[in-house]
Amino acid sequence: MTQGILARYRDRLPVGAKTPIITLGEGATPLVQADALARRAGLPKGSLYLKLEGSNPTGSFKDRGMTLAISKALESGARGVLCASTGNTAASAAAYAARAGLRCVVFLPKGGVAMGKLVQSLMYGAEVVEVRGNFDEALALAMSTARREGFTVVNSSNPFRIEGQKTGAFEIVEQLGAAPEYQFMPVGNAGNITAYWKGYREAGPGRPRMMGFQAAGAAPLVLGRPVLKPKTVATAIRIGNPVSREGALRARDESRGLIGKVSDAQIINAYRLLARLEGVFCEPSSAAGVAGLLKIRHEGYPIRGRAVCILTGHGLKDPDTPLQFAYKRKIVAPGGKLRL
Ligand code: AN7
């Protein structure tokens, strides 16, 4: 049977003898070498890697934290679990809660969630509440509802989420044989960059510079203040007031990394390059880290050693964004001769 991260990293996680293990076999995701993309970034062969977190059971990195958060919620006798989400947290919570037999309520910004994610929450049987507002407003409503109703919050404010997600760093160290010199990743609510930094600190001596990227229209950590009306094509990171702000700044400063911003055009460019050069289809938000790498290389930023880009979610989560490009398609009648 496939083991999930709780079984594989049990000794490094808050799992006790009585903790029920709710797993879908998450983690152990591929780390693939990306030489064509490295070339585009002016980097040598063998220096750039992609961590395919879209290969997790519900198609995003959220499953690493959710297996633990839901297992602990079940252990503590929770009445139910609840979260606000731009889509992936909700899909993951819904799946693991279904397996645990727990009620799951998800608060989604109406019109701000990619179709694949919305249908996952519906299929897994979550109670879906669409909030006429943005993610930050949905989160405020979720938190006050949880307090009143006695539900367990499984947003990344839940420390078990961060604990589970830190296992991504353990895997990269195992897969490369050491920590890389750089890690590029998208930043939304900033839980994942917080978790990876914790993971690298626990994994051993080598530590990457943490290079986080926000969308330019939703870049509170770059601006140094919350963004009231965040805007970006990358709906997963359309977040104006990150919960794990402190963790992200700490990761940046302690690792001597940076948190930058990339435009929607840069995100879409990286998104298309990943698919066309490397055969890797991730969702737009996931491409923000790669967009950041290409941007800083273009500006002459030196990269010495190995870099890993975390591709946080699968491209099939968001089938609508690609259709906004004018992809050439041929329409033919059967039986004719087609010249290529
Ligand atoms: C694909 O699902 O916030 O910086 O509610 O889905 O840890 O927030 C999703 C975030 C990056 C940002 N890539 O991670 C949610 C949610 C993808 C994501 C992020 C998200 P954090």
Side-chain angles (χ1 to χ4, degrees):
M1 195 181 69
T2 307
Q3 287 198 325
I5 59 143
L6 298 187
R8 279 193 293 128
Y9 300 111
R10 192 179 185 101
D11 54 334
R12 295 191 251 178
L13 292 169
V15 179
K18 294 214 177 70
T19 311
I21 304 295
I22 306 299
T23 179
L24 284 161
E26 56 293 318
T29 57
L31 185 73
V32 302
Q33 196 170 316
D35 288 336
L37 199 62
R39 206 182 145 129
R40 276 285 173 131
L43 297 175
K45 201 169 176 322
S47 65
L48 183 59
Y49 297 81
L50 308 172
K51 180 75 168 157
L52 307 188
E53 288 291 280
S55 298
N56 276 299
T58 76
S60 86
F61 72 99
K62 304 287 183 180
D63 295 342
R64 293 182 185 277
M66 210 53 78
T67 180
L68 184 57
I70 297 291
S71 295
K72 296 302 268 190
L74 188 61
E75 182 180 9
S76 71
R79 181 178 167 216
V81 298
L82 162 168
C83 67
S85 176
T86 55
N88 280 327
T89 298
S92 186
Y96 286 83
R99 256 178 113 67
L102 283 170
R103 267 183 80 184
C104 177
V105 184
V106 302
F107 293 73
L108 307 178
K110 188 166 167 48
V113 173
M115 188 56 70
K117 306 175 189 180
L118 180 61
V119 299
Q120 282 181 293
S121 280
L122 293 169
M123 276 302 291
Y124 295 132
E127 297 163 54
V128 175
V129 181
E130 294 193 274
V131 181
R132 268 191 237 97
N134 60 34
F135 167 81
D136 306 281
E137 293 164 325
L139 182 60
L141 180 61
M143 298 299 256
S144 63
T145 308
R147 264 195 304 276
R148 230 183 10 258
E149 296 288 337
F151 272 52
T152 299
V153 176
V154 293
N155 278 100
S156 56
S157 52
N158 180 324
F160 299 125
R161 284 276 314 282
I162 304 292
E163 284 299 306
Q165 282 175 212
K166 77 183 180 187
T167 60
F170 298 166
E171 286 180 16
I172 290 171
V173 170
E174 289 165 21
Q175 288 168 315
L176 286 179
E181 278 68 36
Y182 297 84
Q183 175 164 306
F184 289 80
M185 62 194 303
V187 175
N189 232 346
N192 210 27
I193 193 169
T194 302
Y196 265 99
W197 184 236
K198 186 166 198 286
Y200 281 120
R201 279 184 288 132
E202 292 179 13
R207 284 165 205 183
R209 287 182 197 260
M210 301 296 286
M211 315 290 277
F213 287 87
Q214 302 201 287
L221 297 177
V222 180
L223 298 174
R225 56 177 161 77
V227 174
L228 284 180
K229 293 197 187 315
K231 283 192 194 73
T232 169
V233 65
T235 54
I237 54 172
R238 194 184 283 162
I239 294 172
N241 193 11
V243 167
S244 301
R245 179 180 171 279
E246 296 304 326
L249 299 182
R250 186 174 169 206
R252 177 194 67 188
D253 296 340
E254 290 183 358
S255 74
R256 290 172 296 128
L258 64 84
I259 296 182
K261 59 181 177 175
V262 282
S263 69
D264 278 6
Q266 289 169 326
I267 290 172
I268 293 298
N269 178 54
Y271 172 63
R272 298 179 76 178
L273 283 176
L274 280 161
R276 299 162 78 113
L277 293 180
E278 298 291 352
V280 174
F281 184 26
C282 65
E283 62 173 288
S285 299
S286 303
V290 175
L293 169 66
L294 293 170
K295 178 188 172 186
I296 67 170
R297 287 294 295 157
H298 195 73
E299 293 166 356
Y301 189 103
I303 299 278
R304 292 189 196 88
R306 292 188 290 190
V308 171
C309 297
I310 311 298
L311 301 187
T312 46
H314 202 286
L316 292 173
K317 291 269 190 179
D318 179 357
D320 294 314
T321 300
L323 296 173
Q324 289 171 18
F325 313 126
Y327 279 118
K328 284 188 214 117
R329 287 183 281 186
K330 290 188 175 74
I331 299 172
V332 298
K337 276 206 186 89
L338 183 65
R339 301 293 303 260
L340 297 175

